[in-house]
Amino acid sequence: MKNKWLIILAALVAFSPLLFLGDASFLGADGLAEEEIQKGNPDYDPWADPLFEAPSGEVESLLFALQAALGAGFIGYFIGLTKGRKESSERNESSARYN
């Protein structure tokens, strides 16, 4: 029951901006920061260039989603591995006590 409410809460948090700000443009922070810098200092010349520029917004979104999925997979694997090792250690300790 607790998980059901957590999922509903997460969905509300994720979709509330779309519900309340339906026609707003959700631009990336990099683009907004660049605009503000150019407003404050029109002669600013960036000192670093991107290593890779995605050919389109769709490819950029795909790469971002892939990065998020790989990160989540790594974190999930690490948590599962740690939990499995702890449970295995506890089982070994409890069986050693009774032998």
Side-chain angles (χ1 to χ4, degrees):
M1 184 70 170
K2 181 179 176 182
N3 289 339
K4 180 176 125 180
W5 289 111
L6 289 174
I7 291 171
I8 291 171
L9 180 64
L12 283 173
V13 168
F15 292 111
S16 63
L18 298 174
L19 295 173
F20 296 115
L21 305 170
D23 59 344
S25 61
F26 295 99
L27 300 174
D30 294 340
L32 293 175
E34 184 178 351
E35 287 176 16
E36 290 300 316
I37 290 170
Q38 290 297 330
K39 282 181 195 175
N41 185 4
D43 297 329
Y44 177 75
D45 185 30
W47 57 272
D49 293 322
L51 297 174
F52 170 76
E53 288 232 14
S56 68
E58 291 83 12
V59 173
E60 187 174 353
S61 294
L62 171 72
L63 293 174
F64 183 76
L66 181 63
Q67 177 186 1
L70 289 172
F74 176 77
I75 290 170
Y77 173 78
F78 181 75
I79 289 172
L81 181 69
T82 304
K83 185 174 192 279
R85 284 182 178 172
K86 182 179 177 187
E87 288 176 356
S88 175
S89 173
E90 289 171 355
R91 265 187 269 132
N92 289 341
E93 287 176 5
S94 67
S95 66
R97 279 187 230 151
Y98 297 114
N99 286 334

